[in-house]
Amino acid sequence: MTTVDSRLAEDARAGLWQNPPSLPPRWFYDERGSRLFDEITRLPEYYPTRRETEILQEHSADIARLTQATTLVELGSGMSTKTRLLLTAFSTARDCVFVPIDISAEVLTQAADVIALDYPTVRVSPIVADFHEPIPELPAGRRLLIFLGGTIGNLDHGERDAFLRRVRAGLTPGDHFLLGADLVKAPSRLVAAYDDSAGITAEFNRNLIEVMRSELDAEGLYVDDFQHVARWNPIERRVEMWLRARRDVAAHFRVLNRDWTLPAGAEMLTEISVKFHLPDLRRELSGHGLEPVRTWTDQGGDFSLTLARAA
Ligand code: AVJ
């Protein structure tokens, strides 16, 4: 068993027998899941990627000037598509180092190679790591650590607190942190972004069942027995994705040596996507020694980028 498998087994043991059962969203991103997510970012209903790209197009030069950074570090970098806008701004100003950090060594190597080819003046120095663990020791220099896409929304209040502590601990006073966060808006638009009419998000969510089936060697677990559910939780201010059993589910996980049941109509929680009010977010950052310098939003105020300075 690989490390990844045993981590999934750990997460499954910790989450599937809780009430309600749950699994953390990082397991969505196997090869098919990553492809489906890529499709999601292009859906008409899914605005965050487009809005964040617009903000970066507009303000990357400002970010380069305000931070004077020489070392750009990206957490959860994936293919670093949006990051190219920052790399262009930074590498025009001065020589720089790019440190993509991702859990997938495969994705990381691919992305690093392409970036190195396209940006000859940028030294690319990838690190395999998980943002649920301490930030690895970063190369010296004035750093800008970025966490884009609104992925901070996957963390609940306690997880966010721990994450922001790790971010602050990984930086030196004067370094900067750039955070992409989705904002509270009409629930109808929020839910549509996670329940698109083409059914891509439904496939993305249901793919988790296939990941569980194959990675945990399950018997009696079928994707077709689960229905995609997305709803707005106004108390927690988050979109939640659930998988609802269409009929009684009785599965056996050979890797865990455990049985799992989910009665018809019952649901498992697969993702939270917290949405923010800017004053709260800025307060949360400064409470963690990350002093907001500037916040940008798109024209419609859908999505935000906040630049903060490590105190
Ligand atoms: C990658 C976590 C930012 O929460 O919007 C998109 C994931 N899930 N559609 C988000 C996601 C369903 C996405 N993040």
Side-chain angles (χ1 to χ4, degrees), residues 12 19 50 61 65 82 124 133 154 166 177 201 203 205 207 213 228 243 275 285 297:
N19 189 17
R50 274 188 303 276
R65 176 178 48 80
K82 288 169 289 189
V124 185
E133 285 152 21
N154 277 169
R166 287 194 298 273
F177 177 50
T201 310
E203 280 314 293
N205 194 11
N207 183 55
R213 191 198 63 73
H228 169 65
L243 286 168
K275 307 304 171 186
L285 287 168
T297 69

Side-chain angles (χ1 to χ4, degrees), residues 28-29 37 40 46 48 148-151 154 193-194 201 204 241 271-273 275:
F28 281 132
Y29 302 92
F37 179 68
I40 288 175
Y46 193 76
L148 300 181
T151 303
N154 277 169
Y194 294 83
T201 310
F204 174 74
M241 296 209 315
E271 183 170 48
I272 62 168
S273 196
K275 307 304 171 186

Side-chain angles (χ1 to χ4, degrees), residues 168-236:
R168 177 60 194 84
L171 298 176
T172 301
D175 286 348
H176 287 84
F177 177 50
L178 182 69
L179 179 64
D182 196 11
L183 303 176
V184 173
K185 57 185 59 63
S188 57
R189 282 190 61 212
L190 286 168
V191 170
Y194 294 83
D195 195 7
D196 61 279
S197 55
I200 307 296
T201 310
E203 280 314 293
F204 174 74
N205 194 11
R206 282 150 39 100
N207 183 55
L208 190 67
I209 297 296
E210 181 50 29
V211 171
M212 288 163 64
R213 191 198 63 73
S214 63
E215 299 295 316
L216 300 173
D217 196 6
E219 246 181 319
L221 193 65
Y222 308 102
V223 171
D224 286 348
D225 287 351
F226 293 86
Q227 182 193 353
H228 169 65
V229 176
R231 68 169 84 92
W232 172 243
N233 179 333
I235 303 188
E236 303 285 348

Side-chain angles (χ1 to χ4, degrees), residues 52 75-76 131 145-149 151-152 155 163 177-180:
E52 188 176 50
L75 284 179
F131 61 76
L145 178 67
I146 69 176
F147 192 47
L148 300 181
T151 303
I152 187 131
L155 309 179
F163 172 73
F177 177 50
L178 182 69
L179 179 64

Side-chain angles (χ1 to χ4, degrees), residues 52-290:
E52 188 176 50
T53 303
E54 282 167 28
I55 303 170
L56 285 170
Q57 273 161 348
E58 195 83 7
H59 299 292
S60 284
D62 297 335
I63 295 165
R65 176 178 48 80
L66 287 166
T67 61
Q68 296 289 313
T70 57
T71 308
L72 180 62
V73 184
E74 177 168 29
L75 284 179
S77 49
M79 287 309 287
S80 299
T81 310
K82 288 169 289 189
T83 312
R84 287 169 167 262
L85 295 162
L86 285 169
L87 280 171
T88 301
F90 280 80
S91 60
T92 310
R94 61 193 76 82
D95 282 359
C96 71
V97 184
F98 177 49
V99 185
I101 303 183
D102 201 276
I103 30 169
S104 163
E106 218 179 317
V107 170
L108 204 52
T109 313
Q110 262 189 42
D113 287 353
V114 185
I115 298 276
L117 272 177
D118 289 349
Y119 295 86
T121 64
V122 175
R123 190 156 66 78
V124 185
S125 178
I127 303 179
V128 179
D130 184 343
F131 61 76
H132 294 87
E133 285 152 21
I135 310 279
E137 169 93 8
L138 301 175
R142 282 187 301 276
R143 291 107 156 207
L144 170 62
L145 178 67
I146 69 176
F147 192 47
L148 300 181
T151 303
I152 187 131
N154 277 169
L155 309 179
D156 67 21
H157 196 275
E159 292 167 331
R160 218 157 58 231
D161 171 65
F163 172 73
L164 292 174
R165 273 172 211 265
R166 287 194 298 273
V167 166
R168 177 60 194 84
L171 298 176
T172 301
D175 286 348
H176 287 84
F177 177 50
L178 182 69
L179 179 64
D182 196 11
L183 303 176
V184 173
K185 57 185 59 63
S188 57
R189 282 190 61 212
L190 286 168
V191 170
Y194 294 83
D195 195 7
D196 61 279
S197 55
I200 307 296
T201 310
E203 280 314 293
F204 174 74
N205 194 11
R206 282 150 39 100
N207 183 55
L208 190 67
I209 297 296
E210 181 50 29
V211 171
M212 288 163 64
R213 191 198 63 73
S214 63
E215 299 295 316
L216 300 173
D217 196 6
E219 246 181 319
L221 193 65
Y222 308 102
V223 171
D224 286 348
D225 287 351
F226 293 86
Q227 182 193 353
H228 169 65
V229 176
R231 68 169 84 92
W232 172 243
N233 179 333
I235 303 188
E236 303 285 348
R237 289 210 195 99
R238 65 194 194 191
V239 176
E240 296 172 353
M241 296 209 315
W242 297 81
L243 286 168
R244 182 185 295 154
R246 296 177 187 277
R247 55 181 66 82
D248 289 346
V249 171
H252 176 74
F253 294 105
R254 287 196 192 88
V255 165
L256 306 176
N257 193 26
R258 279 204 208 176
D259 294 327
W260 185 65
T261 58
L262 196 65
E267 297 174 339
M268 83 177 259
L269 179 63
T270 55
E271 183 170 48
I272 62 168
S273 196
V274 178
K275 307 304 171 186
F276 296 88
H277 287 302
L278 281 172
D280 297 343
L281 183 62
R282 290 168 62 98
R283 213 172 303 120
E284 209 167 313
L285 287 168
S286 68
H288 286 83
L290 298 162

